[in-house]
PDB file of all heavy atoms in Angstrom:
ATOM      1  N   ASN A 452      98.386   5.266 102.042  1.00 97.00           N
ATOM      2  CA  ASN A 452      99.088   4.081 102.535  1.00 97.00           C
ATOM      3  C   ASN A 452      98.162   3.162 103.320  1.00 97.00           C
ATOM      4  O   ASN A 452      98.271   1.940 103.228  1.00 97.00           O
ATOM      5  CB  ASN A 452     100.296   4.487 103.376  1.00 97.00           C
ATOM      6  CG  ASN A 452     101.454   4.912 102.512  1.00 97.00           C
ATOM      7  OD1 ASN A 452     101.705   4.331 101.465  1.00 97.00           O
ATOM      8  ND2 ASN A 452     102.157   5.946 102.936  1.00 97.00           N
ATOM      9  N   ALA A 453      97.244   3.732 104.071  1.00 97.00           N
ATOM     10  CA  ALA A 453      96.294   2.922 104.839  1.00 97.00           C
ATOM     11  C   ALA A 453      95.361   2.138 103.920  1.00 97.00           C
ATOM     12  O   ALA A 453      94.863   1.068 104.304  1.00 97.00           O
ATOM     13  CB  ALA A 453      95.488   3.815 105.779  1.00 97.00           C
ATOM     14  N   LEU A 454      95.117   2.649 102.732  1.00 97.00           N
ATOM     15  CA  LEU A 454      94.218   1.988 101.785  1.00 97.00           C
ATOM     16  C   LEU A 454      94.884   0.855 101.007  1.00 97.00           C
ATOM     17  O   LEU A 454      94.199   0.121 100.279  1.00 97.00           O
ATOM     18  CB  LEU A 454      93.633   3.003 100.803  1.00 97.00           C
ATOM     19  CG  LEU A 454      92.500   3.846 101.373  1.00 97.00           C
ATOM     20  CD1 LEU A 454      92.202   5.032 100.470  1.00 97.00           C
ATOM     21  CD2 LEU A 454      91.260   2.993 101.577  1.00 97.00           C
ATOM     22  N   ARG A 455      96.161   0.690 101.165  1.00 97.00           N
ATOM     23  CA  ARG A 455      96.831  -0.412 100.475  1.00 97.00           C
ATOM     24  C   ARG A 455      96.420  -1.724 101.130  1.00 97.00           C
ATOM     25  O   ARG A 455      96.181  -1.778 102.338  1.00 97.00           O
ATOM     26  CB  ARG A 455      98.338  -0.203 100.515  1.00 97.00           C
ATOM     27  CG  ARG A 455      98.730   1.055  99.724  1.00 97.00           C
ATOM     28  CD  ARG A 455     100.177   1.366  99.811  1.00 97.00           C
ATOM     29  NE  ARG A 455     100.951   0.339  99.129  1.00 97.00           N
ATOM     30  CZ  ARG A 455     102.252   0.170  99.298  1.00 97.00           C
ATOM     31  NH1 ARG A 455     102.924   0.976 100.112  1.00 97.00           N
ATOM     32  NH2 ARG A 455     102.880  -0.761  98.650  1.00 97.00           N
ATOM     33  N   PRO A 456      96.301  -2.795 100.363  1.00 96.00           N
ATOM     34  CA  PRO A 456      95.888  -4.086 100.942  1.00 96.00           C
ATOM     35  C   PRO A 456      96.776  -4.506 102.123  1.00 96.00           C
ATOM     36  O   PRO A 456      97.993  -4.293 102.106  1.00 96.00           O
ATOM     37  CB  PRO A 456      96.038  -5.057  99.772  1.00 96.00           C
ATOM     38  CG  PRO A 456      95.892  -4.203  98.560  1.00 96.00           C
ATOM     39  CD  PRO A 456      96.514  -2.871  98.925  1.00 96.00           C
ATOM     40  N   TYR A 457      96.132  -5.068 103.123  1.00 97.00           N
ATOM     41  CA  TYR A 457      96.765  -5.617 104.326  1.00 97.00           C
ATOM     42  C   TYR A 457      97.383  -4.558 105.244  1.00 97.00           C
ATOM     43  O   TYR A 457      98.074  -4.891 106.190  1.00 97.00           O
ATOM     44  CB  TYR A 457      97.835  -6.661 103.974  1.00 97.00           C
ATOM     45  CG  TYR A 457      97.324  -7.743 103.058  1.00 97.00           C
ATOM     46  CD1 TYR A 457      97.721  -7.784 101.725  1.00 97.00           C
ATOM     47  CD2 TYR A 457      96.431  -8.703 103.509  1.00 97.00           C
ATOM     48  CE1 TYR A 457      97.250  -8.767 100.868  1.00 97.00           C
ATOM     49  CE2 TYR A 457      95.952  -9.698 102.664  1.00 97.00           C
ATOM     50  CZ  TYR A 457      96.366  -9.724 101.344  1.00 97.00           C
ATOM     51  OH  TYR A 457      95.892 -10.692 100.505  1.00 97.00           O
ATOM     52  N   ARG A 458      97.151  -3.279 105.005  1.00 97.00           N
ATOM     53  CA  ARG A 458      97.745  -2.222 105.819  1.00 97.00           C
ATOM     54  C   ARG A 458      96.851  -1.782 106.969  1.00 97.00           C
ATOM     55  O   ARG A 458      97.332  -1.204 107.933  1.00 97.00           O
ATOM     56  CB  ARG A 458      98.069  -0.994 104.963  1.00 97.00           C
ATOM     57  CG  ARG A 458      99.112  -1.236 103.914  1.00 97.00           C
ATOM     58  CD  ARG A 458     100.481  -1.391 104.562  1.00 97.00           C
ATOM     59  NE  ARG A 458     101.489  -1.739 103.601  1.00 97.00           N
ATOM     60  CZ  ARG A 458     102.340  -0.893 103.060  1.00 97.00           C
ATOM     61  NH1 ARG A 458     102.309   0.366 103.399  1.00 97.00           N
ATOM     62  NH2 ARG A 458     103.224  -1.306 102.187  1.00 97.00           N
ATOM     63  N   SER A 459      95.544  -2.001 106.844  1.00 98.00           N
ATOM     64  CA  SER A 459      94.616  -1.485 107.846  1.00 98.00           C
ATOM     65  C   SER A 459      93.569  -2.523 108.182  1.00 98.00           C
ATOM     66  O   SER A 459      93.235  -3.391 107.371  1.00 98.00           O
ATOM     67  CB  SER A 459      93.902  -0.241 107.317  1.00 98.00           C
ATOM     68  OG  SER A 459      94.819   0.753 106.985  1.00 98.00           O
ATOM     69  N   THR A 460      93.027  -2.386 109.388  1.00 98.00           N
ATOM     70  CA  THR A 460      91.876  -3.192 109.772  1.00 98.00           C
ATOM     71  C   THR A 460      90.621  -2.506 109.242  1.00 98.00           C
ATOM     72  O   THR A 460      90.661  -1.337 108.842  1.00 98.00           O
ATOM     73  CB  THR A 460      91.774  -3.316 111.301  1.00 98.00           C
ATOM     74  OG1 THR A 460      91.525  -2.015 111.850  1.00 98.00           O
ATOM     75  CG2 THR A 460      93.042  -3.908 111.903  1.00 98.00           C
ATOM     76  N   LYS A 461      89.514  -3.213 109.296  1.00 97.00           N
ATOM     77  CA  LYS A 461      88.255  -2.611 108.856  1.00 97.00           C
ATOM     78  C   LYS A 461      87.915  -1.410 109.731  1.00 97.00           C
ATOM     79  O   LYS A 461      87.498  -0.361 109.214  1.00 97.00           O
ATOM     80  CB  LYS A 461      87.127  -3.632 108.893  1.00 97.00           C
ATOM     81  CG  LYS A 461      85.822  -3.084 108.359  1.00 97.00           C
ATOM     82  CD  LYS A 461      84.740  -4.136 108.301  1.00 97.00           C
ATOM     83  CE  LYS A 461      83.478  -3.543 107.679  1.00 97.00           C
ATOM     84  NZ  LYS A 461      82.389  -4.530 107.644  1.00 97.00           N
ATOM     85  N   ASP A 462      88.105  -1.539 111.039  1.00 97.00           N
ATOM     86  CA  ASP A 462      87.809  -0.425 111.949  1.00 97.00           C
ATOM     87  C   ASP A 462      88.671   0.794 111.642  1.00 97.00           C
ATOM     88  O   ASP A 462      88.192   1.931 111.707  1.00 97.00           O
ATOM     89  CB  ASP A 462      87.996  -0.847 113.407  1.00 97.00           C
ATOM     90  CG  ASP A 462      86.889  -1.776 113.889  1.00 97.00           C
ATOM     91  OD1 ASP A 462      85.812  -1.809 113.261  1.00 97.00           O
ATOM     92  OD2 ASP A 462      87.112  -2.469 114.906  1.00 97.00           O
ATOM     93  N   GLU A 463      89.931   0.581 111.304  1.00 98.00           N
ATOM     94  CA  GLU A 463      90.805   1.709 110.960  1.00 98.00           C
ATOM     95  C   GLU A 463      90.324   2.417 109.695  1.00 98.00           C
ATOM     96  O   GLU A 463      90.301   3.650 109.630  1.00 98.00           O
ATOM     97  CB  GLU A 463      92.257   1.233 110.793  1.00 98.00           C
ATOM     98  CG  GLU A 463      92.902   0.837 112.109  1.00 98.00           C
ATOM     99  CD  GLU A 463      94.235   0.119 111.936  1.00 98.00           C
ATOM    100  OE1 GLU A 463      94.489  -0.465 110.846  1.00 98.00           O
ATOM    101  OE2 GLU A 463      95.020   0.123 112.901  1.00 98.00           O
TER     102      GLU A 463
END
Side-chain angles (χ1 to χ4, degrees):
N452 282 322
L454 282 167
R455 295 176 67 196
Y457 307 108
R458 296 288 175 100
S459 301
T460 65
K461 184 176 183 182
D462 287 341
E463 289 169 337

